[in-house]
Amino acid sequence: MPTQPNRDAIMAALSHVQEPELHRDLVSLNMIQDLQISGSNVGLTVMLTTPACPLKGQIESEVRNAVMQVPGVQQVNVRFDANVRADNRISGRLNLPIRNIIAVASGKGGVGKTTVAVNLAVALSQMGAQVGLLDADIYGPNVPQMLGVQRMPDPRDGKLVPARAYGLQLMSMGFLIQPDQAVIWRGPMLHSAIRQLFTDVAWAEVDYMVVDLPPGTGDAQLTLAQSVPLTGGVIVSTPQDVALSDARRGLAAFRQLQVPVLGIIENMAYFIAPDSGQRYEIFGYGGAERAAQELRVPFLGRLPLDPRAREGGDQGKPIVATYPDSEIAQAFRDIARQLAAQVSVLSFRPDPELKII
Ligand SMILES: Nc1ncnc2c1ncn2[C@@H]1O[C@H](COP(=O)(O)OP(=O)(O)O)[C@@H](O)[C@H]1O
Ligand SMILES: [Mg+2]
């Protein structure tokens, strides 16, 4: 008679498998669910902290190996599901179905902040997360254009209704002001406008709310951070020294506001000539990574220059959706995974507000 695999033995074996990012075992993290044993076959679900988990493959093979060691097991069926943890500072202060808020900032305009915010949001959504995109760039709210959205739906029950595009829920300052209207935003007005984009909108469940901030540092970050609790901030920079020194200021602003820095992204890092395949480092190379090391914040990755990213932006078709196999789309997906992993790691810290370097 072959031994029937035993539940306790399987859980004991799995308690030696570590979640690679969280450095704790899957059992104590309560990530093993729906364990079924039928003869020599074992099935289980690993409940990840994000559907955009960068190390899913590694977890799968380690789980499989661990369970196969248990006497009597001949086959293992590993399924994945995900449950994104909520930042409890948000649920504590706002009665909204938003689990995490990620602010995307840049030291100055034109570095690709909106392009990055849009494509990261679409990438996270493609991976199965529920994603909101909030365009808080009061000076140039162009997220709707980059997603090909003209207007928002009519309000319902006294609330604004987010537009839907590429699987995202979208709300933009651009929906609230006339295209050519010059608005002079004063502090309190801006503050209440930004807060309203959260509280007066009928958001459905959101795992990650990506917020496209106005360019520049200090004021915009300050206003947002005072309006809603931010899970973390991301800085987009190009590789030039001037851009990087602006990015450093952006980083300093987040720190001053006690907003955890999730990382730096280097945009327009290089260009590959489509005819020759030759690689050109137009604005220099590696500056953002060095800055990240110096400032001890995560470097989330670099994105190439790709004219199709610009065309896609102009035409309302984000490149991760239209050219999913392009190098830049792959880079966006990698960065989205790194970002999601940083949010997960942060969610396990006892008090993220005390953990800022
Ligand atoms: N990686 C890239 N490759 C090619 N064009 C890009 C890239 N990133 C941004 N762009 C283009 O650069 C311009 C500025 O980008 P945008 O996202 O609007 O910057 P920001 O929001 O920082 O002002 C846009 O025309 C955009 O399409
Ligand atoms: Mg922009």
Side-chain angles (χ1 to χ4, degrees):
M1 264 301 273
T3 11
Q4 166 90 12
N6 161 309
R7 195 185 169 81
D8 291 344
I10 293 170
M11 290 306 269
L14 287 168
S15 73
H16 296 292
V17 179
Q18 297 261 314
E19 208 289 346
E21 227 107 31
L22 302 171
H23 308 295
R24 278 173 57 190
D25 74 274
L26 301 185
V27 175
S28 72
L29 286 167
N30 205 18
M31 285 170 73
I32 304 298
Q33 303 196 357
D34 300 331
L35 178 62
Q36 291 144 358
I37 305 164
S38 132
S40 59
N41 293 352
V42 175
L44 58 86
T45 298
V46 179
M47 189 59 85
L48 300 167
T49 53
T50 173
C53 176
L55 298 167
K56 211 167 171 174
Q58 181 185 336
I59 296 174
E60 173 162 11
S61 68
E62 289 182 11
V63 164
R64 187 179 301 285
N65 292 342
V67 179
M68 285 301 279
Q69 304 292 317
V70 176
V73 177
Q74 272 174 9
Q75 209 184 320
V76 186
N77 178 17
V78 184
R79 295 172 299 262
F80 283 98
D81 200 348
N83 188 8
V84 176
R85 286 163 65 100
D87 178 343
N88 51 29
R89 289 168 309 151
I90 300 173
S91 37
R93 273 176 56 192
L94 300 171
N95 181 23
L96 288 171
I98 298 174
R99 296 184 176 193
N100 295 283
I101 303 175
I102 301 168
V104 182
S106 65
K108 58 179 188 137
V111 299
K113 174 176 53 61
T114 303
T115 304
V116 170
V118 164
N119 281 285
L120 285 182
V122 175
L124 285 167
S125 161
Q126 286 174 334
M127 292 169 192
Q130 317 254 42
V131 185
L133 181 54
L134 201 158
D135 179 10
D137 187 345
I138 44 167
Y139 305 112
N142 49 11
V143 175
Q145 189 195 344
M146 287 201 190
L147 286 168
V149 176
Q150 264 87 40
R151 54 186 292 276
M152 64 176 164
D154 292 333
R156 215 175 27 217
D157 303 328
K159 288 224 172 200
L160 301 175
V161 177
R164 294 264 180 180
Y166 295 93
L168 310 174
Q169 301 177 59
L170 163 69
M171 185 45 66
S172 171
M173 211 59 136
F175 293 149
L176 308 180
I177 49 184
Q178 301 302 319
D180 299 311
Q181 185 186 0
V183 183
I184 299 162
W185 294 96
R186 300 185 200 286
M189 199 169 123
L190 179 59
H191 184 103
S192 72
I194 289 189
R195 204 183 152 86
Q196 276 176 24
L197 288 176
F198 284 92
T199 56
D200 292 0
V201 175
W203 296 106
E205 283 293 320
V206 172
D207 293 324
Y208 304 106
M209 179 68 81
V210 177
V211 184
D212 186 20
L213 282 179
T217 53
D219 274 2
Q221 284 149 298
L222 177 70
T223 306
L224 181 65
Q226 286 175 338
S227 311
V228 292
L230 296 179
T231 305
V234 175
I235 303 271
V236 180
S237 181
T238 47
Q240 308 95 311
D241 288 342
V242 280
L244 283 166
S245 64
D246 289 333
R248 281 191 171 85
R249 267 199 298 282
L251 208 78
F254 276 136
R255 282 192 176 152
Q256 238 168 20
L257 296 166
Q258 311 248 301
V259 174
V261 175
L262 298 165
I264 299 184
I265 298 169
E266 185 169 71
N267 188 27
M268 311 194 198
Y270 59 93
F271 173 70
I272 296 173
D275 46 353
S276 62
Q278 169 94 27
R279 184 178 170 120
Y280 296 94
E281 279 145 24
I282 297 171
F283 300 124
Y285 188 80
E289 187 164 15
R290 278 193 299 277
Q293 274 162 6
E294 267 167 45
L295 300 162
R296 291 186 293 139
V297 297
F299 178 65
L300 297 175
R302 53 174 59 89
L303 295 156
L305 252 171
D306 187 329
R308 292 173 300 178
R310 204 264 312 141
E311 286 156 25
D314 289 347
Q315 293 165 3
K317 295 177 180 160
I319 190 157
V320 288
T322 41
Y323 295 99
D325 298 329
S326 60
E327 184 161 329
I328 189 171
Q330 287 171 32
F332 272 124
R333 288 194 296 271
D334 284 342
I335 294 172
R337 290 190 194 97
Q338 294 306 322
L339 183 61
Q342 291 298 328
V343 172
S344 293
V345 168
L346 210 60
S347 76
F348 278 90
R349 289 182 179 181
D351 183 354
E353 276 164 309
L354 297 178
K355 294 283 181 173
I356 301 146
I357 310 159

